[in-house]
Every structure is written in C-alpha cells, then in structure tokens.
Amino acid sequence: MSRTRTALLATLLMIAGGTGTAAAAVPADVVAAAVPCTVDYKVQNQWDTGFTAAVAVTNNGAAKSSWAVKWSYAGNQKVTSGWNAKITQSGTAVTAANETYNGSLATDGSVSFGFNASYSGTNALPTTFTLDGVTCNVDDGGGTDPDPDPDPSGKVDNPYAGAKVYVNPEWSAKAAAETGGSRISNQPTGVWLDRIAAINGVNGGMGLRAHLDAALAQKGSGEEVVQLVVYDLPGRDCAALASNGELGPTEIDKYKTQFIDPIAAILSDSKYASLRIVTTIEIDSLPNLVTNTGSRATATPACDTMLANGNYVKGVGYALAKLGAIPNVYNYIDAGHHGWLGWDDNFAPSATLFKQAATSEGATVDDVHGFITNTANYSALKENNFTINDTVNGTSVRQSKWVDWNRYVDELSYAQAFRNQLVSVGFNSGIGMLIDTSRNGWGGTARPTGPGATTSVDTYVDGGRYDRRIHIGNWCNQSGAGLGERPQAAPAAGIDAYVWMKPPGESDGSSSAIPNDEGKGFDRMCDPTYTGNARNGNNLSGALPNAPLSGHWFSAQFQQLMTNAYPPL
C-alpha cells in the first residue's frame, strides 16, 4: 500500500472513530475517488553518475486527451534523455507531457514513460507528483536502489538500463546506403546466429568474435548490450518452410557440439566479460509444439515429430544451461506473440511448456532472465481505438473476425499478462519482457485516426485497428508495415526494453522458390498470390512481391517500413 493512500485511509478511519463508534471500513471506490491519480516512480538502474527511471501514471479521474506530470528533485538530478513523453526541466522542476501518440488517458487508464538522468551525491526519490496540477498518490514501488531486484545469479535486473546497445555495422551500412536510411542506420539491431557457419562469418562477413570486438570498440567507458539471436534447432520452424534450417530433426548432438558449445566458448572469453550479452533463444520453436501438433487443424507432421522426439525442449534447455552459466549472458526465450499464444487454449499450456524446457538438460529457471515477444513479427504494440472489453450492439470485440476470441488485442497487454503467467508457473518474479518493435508501427496513410464505425463489431474493429494485415496469422514480408517504436529501455511495467531484434530490411522469406545452400525452403506464405491455409483462415498471404531469401536484404520492404514508420521518422 502506498504512503499517501495509507495516510488517507488513516484519516478517514480517525474521522469515523471520532464519533465514538467503531471505525467503519472505507469502500475502495471512495478511496479511489479521493486519490485522483497514482504515480509509480522506479529507478531501474543506477551507477556513479547517472540512473534510468521508469514512471507509470494511473488516472482515477475524468478521461483526458492530453496530460502533463510534474515533480521536483531535491538534489542535482538532470534529465538527459527520455522516451514516451516530452520531458523538459527548469532547475529542479521536471515536466513530462504526452507525445502525440499517447495523449489519451482514460479513467482508470495508465501511461508509462522513462528517462535517463545524471546526478552526483544522493539520488533522492521525489516526494510529490502532480497530474495536470492535481497532487497524486505516490506508490511505494519507487526508490533508488542502485541494483534493484537482482536475479539469483547476481546479474543486473535489466541489462538495457543505463546501457548503449550495439549497432551492427554490417546492417548499418546497408541501411545507410538506402535513400533516407541514414535516419535509422544508427539504431541497434540483433545479430542472427542462424547456422553453424554464422559463428565464424559467412561469405567474408563478420562472425561472432568480430561483432563482439566491434561492440567493445563502441562501448567506451559505459555499459554496452550486444543482442544475439540463437536460432538453429534441429527440425527448425516445423510449421513453416522459409527458414527450416540446416539440421535434421534428430541432429540434437550436432546442435549441442557444433552450434551451442562453440558459441558458449566465445561468449565465455574474459575479453568480453564487460559486455552485457542478450541472447534470444530459438524463435518460433516451443510455441509450435503447443499450436501445431496433435489433432489441431493447424498441426503438421514435422511439428508432431519434434514434439515426440523432444529435441526442441532438449535443445532450448541445453542452450539455456550452457549460456546461462556465463555471468554476463542474459537469456530471453522466444514467447511467440499475442496472435499466436493469446488464446485460452494456448496461453497457459505455453507457459507450462516453457517451464519444462527451462528445467531440462541441466537448465534451471535461474538461467532465464526473461522472454521476448513479437520477434520478427508485425503485431501492433498498442491498439488505442478499441479494447478487449468493448462491445458493439451487445456483441463483444472478442467475437470479431479479427480478434476471434483472443484474450489480447496487442503485444504490450499480452507481454505483461504472459509475464504474470510465467511467474505463476515457477519462473522468477524478476523476469522481464522484450518486445520486438522493428516492424509493428503500422503508420502511414492507412493508419486509422479513431475507432471504426459501430455498424457491427467487425466494422468497429477493422476500421480502428492499427495492424492492417489481412489476417493476424500472416507473417511474411507484410505489405503496408512500418517501423515501430525505436529501441528503448524500460518503456513500460514489466518490459525490459523495446528492441529491433529483427533487422528492418532483412527478408522473411522468398516470394518464389530460389535454389540455395543455406537450408532455406520456399513457403507459400511468402507468395503474394497464395490464398492461405488453416493457420491464416484461408486468406491471402499479404506478402510483398519479389522478395529474396530470408535474411537477405530487401530494399523495397526497407523503403516501405520507413514510409510507414510510427512514430514517424
């Protein structure tokens, strides 16, 4: 319970007790009405000269179309950069006002923003916050713990807090060579280790050591995060064909000895001990065992095979154990996205399966620092024009063709809820989530500016949704997509960072069959003429034409992502 709310309750109880009668319980709605807003100010990370803070504001009053939060520091704290709010400072007084995209703040709604700041001496917690001039309750969650909630391994709570993130020079050069690409070529992206050859570099390109050496050069005297995608399971991508990979379903020993072990050996080199190394563990693997096996209409023989032989579970467990033992490595397991695991029959079973994998092959939950959602996918971060609780003419939004009984309509709500589910099955309470926002901005001229027509629940949802895909199951080179939120640390409660784990401009798969020696097949979901299957409701694929092999540079897609970026470039 917060300090202010505790004091308020005590005052009300004293008034009741002062009449000579027993103090009556104070209804929760009375307390909420008396506290027009609540602010939760948390220091996510702190070092000798600075800190990273996250602020969450809950509005208990009338709905707002714009907002401004103000507070003052007792010391010499100076805000140096921020995200999700326009932050200005005059002396010790700080004002955080909404951006154009998050001005709406509903009754009982919340908004989050964060910032980096410098300081010397004592970094004292601000004692008073106002929302549009009205004093708010201050949640007890605030504080200035220099190492908040470290996990049992002694690693920092959030590796992204207070750190720069590695800019891959190979991707940066491709981006900068595009017209207008210099606007984003300095953004950090993931380095994909998607085959054994990638460890040492392919076709003269940078290998893992070369990337780590470059990261050390970028690091300077501060902290630096390097983002790696570890992605080469046996029988990889059992429900797709565009990136099936090089290892057959039974080659688990080769995966361990020729892929994971060499990566672990390099990451264990003391030369790289000062880097914070974030690993995204095996995207699109474990979720397939839940949704694409057994008697389901979406089942495939390849996924049934991987469920039966256990090599996805064994491979993920082995990777977690080997990499998690390295003191400066932070493992994040891929957790699909809301349009994959958000349904009731997928949500809880997925968390249970993840726990099984995280406790196999010598791994424990302490080897898991968190989870990542929406990796290389397009699900909108936050749908502002409708909620899962809305109804149209008495029909729930859940019954619309787009939502289709899902519990979630966007990635942020899914990631936060799935984090709670993961903790409930035994993962550590300090786990954090990452959300890949590299291609989920959905801006441009097609972006709705308000809710859809209330003619029916479908017109309401389809007219208002930012995600303009034909079907939420479409995943390959989606037409109309745009860059999403720029990478940033601690943007919302339970979220360690928004990241660009999938480098924008790298293809998801080829539009037609292309012979290659990379183990990459042709998936009809990458063909714009394909009319679909059970996993996308037998709809058109929505894919862009003339796409190259997965991972290869796709200039037309890169240009479209910039054009449709939201927030705009």
Side-chain angles (χ1 to χ4, degrees):
M1 185 177 290
S2 65
R3 296 186 297 273
T4 306
R5 188 160 295 186
T6 303
L8 174 65
L9 281 168
T11 301
L12 293 172
L13 290 170
M14 286 174 64
I15 292 172
T19 63
T21 62
V26 181
D29 58 346
V30 173
V31 175
V35 182
C37 48
T38 301
V39 171
D40 182 6
Y41 177 105
K42 289 182 178 178
V43 173
Q44 300 272 344
N45 193 42
Q46 184 169 305
W47 56 100
D48 290 344
T49 59
F51 63 97
T52 300
V55 183
V57 183
T58 301
N59 172 36
N60 298 321
K64 300 173 179 291
S65 58
S66 63
W67 50 266
V69 178
K70 296 184 179 182
W71 69 91
S72 293
Y73 285 115
N76 61 359
Q77 296 95 328
K78 296 289 184 184
V79 175
T80 56
S81 63
W83 45 91
N84 286 352
K86 298 173 181 174
I87 304 178
T88 56
Q89 184 169 356
S90 177
T92 60
V94 180
T95 299
N98 64 275
E99 294 280 8
T100 56
Y101 55 85
N102 63 357
S104 296
L105 186 53
T107 301
D108 296 327
S110 297
V111 66
S112 299
F113 58 91
F115 59 90
N116 292 321
S118 63
Y119 83 102
S120 61
T122 301
N123 183 17
L125 173 73
T127 57
T128 303
F129 295 82
T130 63
L131 174 62
D132 295 338
V134 178
T135 301
C136 297
N137 163 42
V138 181
D139 194 286
D140 275 344
T144 54
D145 183 353
D147 187 14
D149 301 324
D151 76 7
S153 69
K155 295 171 174 144
V156 298
D157 178 58
N158 182 355
Y160 290 86
K164 297 185 296 184
V165 186
Y166 173 60
V167 177
N168 179 348
E170 292 184 313
W171 175 84
S172 182
K174 293 175 184 175
E178 293 280 346
T179 301
S182 61
R183 294 173 294 175
I184 63 165
S185 58
N186 65 340
Q187 292 291 350
T189 54
V191 173
W192 285 55
L193 303 174
D194 59 356
R195 45 186 159 148
I196 292 168
I199 299 172
N200 292 320
V202 178
N203 297 326
M206 296 172 68
L208 178 54
R209 281 193 179 275
H211 282 296
L212 296 175
D213 290 340
L216 286 175
Q218 290 182 18
K219 178 179 182 296
S221 60
E223 300 291 347
E224 176 99 356
V225 170
V226 179
Q227 302 175 123
L228 306 178
V229 177
V230 178
Y231 179 49
D232 199 25
L233 273 179
R236 192 179 74 185
D237 280 7
C238 59
L241 298 171
S243 52
N244 279 159
E246 63 189 353
L247 301 180
T250 63
E251 294 186 284
I252 185 66
D253 290 336
K254 188 174 182 180
Y255 173 79
K256 292 177 178 180
T257 60
Q258 297 187 34
F259 186 63
I260 296 299
D261 287 355
I263 291 173
I266 293 172
L267 300 187
S268 298
D269 191 331
S270 60
K271 177 181 181 181
Y272 306 121
S274 65
L275 296 170
R276 296 176 181 178
I277 300 170
V278 165
T279 57
T280 293
I281 301 296
E282 294 296 353
I283 64 173
D284 294 348
S285 60
L286 298 177
N288 272 314
L289 300 186
V290 175
T291 63
N292 297 318
T293 55
S295 61
R296 296 191 183 216
T298 54
T300 70
C303 289
D304 283 331
T305 295
M306 300 317 299
L307 178 64
N309 68 25
N311 284 343
Y312 276 8
V313 168
K314 294 173 187 176
V316 169
Y318 188 82
L320 291 172
K322 291 287 289 191
L323 302 178
I326 304 169
N328 57 318
V329 170
Y330 298 79
N331 288 324
Y332 289 79
I333 301 175
D334 183 77
H337 54 89
H338 88 275
W340 191 353
L341 302 184
W343 281 271
D344 292 341
D345 53 354
N346 299 340
F347 192 77
S350 295
T352 301
L353 179 65
F354 294 166
K355 173 73 178 302
Q356 177 189 347
T359 51
S360 69
E361 299 293 303
T364 74
V365 293
D366 291 344
D367 293 313
V368 180
H369 204 78
F371 292 77
I372 181 169
T373 77
N374 205 43
T375 311
N377 209 268
Y378 298 85
S379 295
L381 179 66
K382 182 72 174 73
E383 292 283 9
N384 293 320
N385 293 327
F386 63 96
T387 76
I388 200 66
N389 299 314
D390 292 350
T391 59
V392 178
N393 302 323
T395 302
S396 168
V397 156
R398 292 190 67 203
Q399 293 175 254
S400 67
K401 291 178 182 178
W402 174 257
V403 178
D404 191 27
W405 295 103
N406 201 313
R407 287 283 179 188
Y408 305 95
V409 300
D410 53 38
E411 280 308 290
L412 181 57
S413 63
Y414 164 73
Q416 291 172 324
F418 198 56
R419 179 189 178 281
N420 293 336
Q421 182 68 28
L422 291 159
V423 171
S424 76
V425 301
F427 284 98
N428 295 325
S429 61
I431 59 170
M433 306 297 287
L434 306 177
I435 301 176
D436 188 346
T437 59
S438 58
R439 304 182 301 179
N440 71 346
W442 294 104
T445 56
R447 183 179 178 87
T449 58
T454 55
T455 310
S456 70
V457 71
D458 287 321
T459 58
Y460 177 69
V461 170
D462 289 340
R465 59 182 168 95
Y466 299 142
D467 188 336
R468 305 313 298 171
R469 284 179 290 178
I470 297 170
H471 187 274
I472 204 167
N474 288 352
W475 54 267
C476 193
N477 301 324
Q478 289 300 284
S479 177
L483 302 167
E485 288 284 348
R486 314 308 178 249
Q488 54 189 267
I495 310 299
D496 280 352
Y498 296 152
V499 297
W500 283 8
M501 202 61 71
K502 171 71 173 181
E506 293 189 0
S507 174
D508 295 317
S510 59
S511 302
S512 58
I514 299 176
N516 67 91
D517 60 359
E518 301 176 27
K520 297 172 180 177
F522 167 53
D523 195 304
R524 289 297 306 280
M525 287 296 290
C526 301
D527 176 358
T529 69
Y530 184 49
T531 54
N533 53 44
R535 285 187 292 281
N536 84 328
N538 296 299
N539 286 282
L540 284 167
S541 68
L544 291 168
N546 305 314
L549 291 171
S550 62
H552 290 225
W553 191 255
F554 190 5
S555 177
Q557 183 193 47
F558 185 79
Q559 288 294 334
Q560 186 175 91
L561 290 172
M562 290 193 297
T563 297
N564 295 333
Y566 196 89
L569 297 178

